[in-house]
Amino acid sequence: QVQLVESGGGSVQVGGSLRLSCVASSGYTVSTGCMGWIRQAPGKEREGVATHGTPTTNYADSVKGRFSISKDNAKNTLYLQMDSLKPEDSAMYYCAALFQGSSCNYYMPSAGEFDIWGQGTQVTVSS
């Protein structure tokens, strides 16, 4: 049973930074997996934020230049560095992954395509 465990959320002021972490259990190899971060604010649709397809990364237009997705293979962990945060970034952020063996090198999967999900971590940005 693969588990994804997110951490790093919190409350910050506009312009602040957070780094989200997603630790995968040993049943999933982060280095070769297609993984991403998806967020959902109350009353809104799920929104793909960033994906890491190994080697390809993709970002939603709304976060380009501000967010960076990365992997630490030794720690089997996916990260999302979030800088210059805006109030509209406030949401529950979920780490998600496609089943091992699936790839996403040339596109950003929709939220519905992801097979494995973490429990989420809340990000709140206030002005």
Side-chain angles (χ1 to χ4, degrees):
Q1 188 87 307
V2 175
Q3 291 185 322
L4 304 175
V5 180
E6 303 102 325
S7 62
S11 182
V12 298
Q13 298 276 59
V14 169
S17 297
L18 288 171
R19 188 179 75 161
L20 307 185
S21 299
C22 172
V23 180
S25 64
S26 60
Y28 193 90
T29 303
V30 168
S31 63
T32 57
C34 176
M35 304 183 71
W37 292 93
I38 297 90
R39 66 188 182 188
Q40 186 169 28
K44 295 188 176 182
E45 288 265 313
R46 293 178 298 177
E47 177 188 21
V49 175
T51 53
H52 198 309
T54 309
T56 304
T57 58
N58 294 98
Y59 298 90
D61 288 341
S62 59
V63 306
K64 284 181 180 177
R66 300 189 298 118
F67 291 10
S68 180
I69 189 169
S70 62
K71 294 176 176 178
D72 186 328
N73 298 333
K75 296 181 179 179
N76 213 38
T77 299
L78 179 75
Y79 298 100
L80 183 68
Q81 178 67 45
M82 305 186 294
D83 298 321
S84 301
L85 283 162
K86 304 175 180 179
E88 53 262 43
D89 295 319
S90 297
M92 184 72 75
Y93 282 71
Y94 298 91
C95 174
L98 300 182
F99 287 133
Q100 202 84 68
S102 298
S103 62
C104 55
N105 289 333
Y106 306 109
Y107 74 105
M108 185 174 183
S110 64
E113 290 184 72
F114 287 97
D115 304 299
I116 308 166
W117 292 78
Q119 83 286 355
T121 185
Q122 180 68 44
V123 171
T124 303
V125 185
S126 60
S127 58

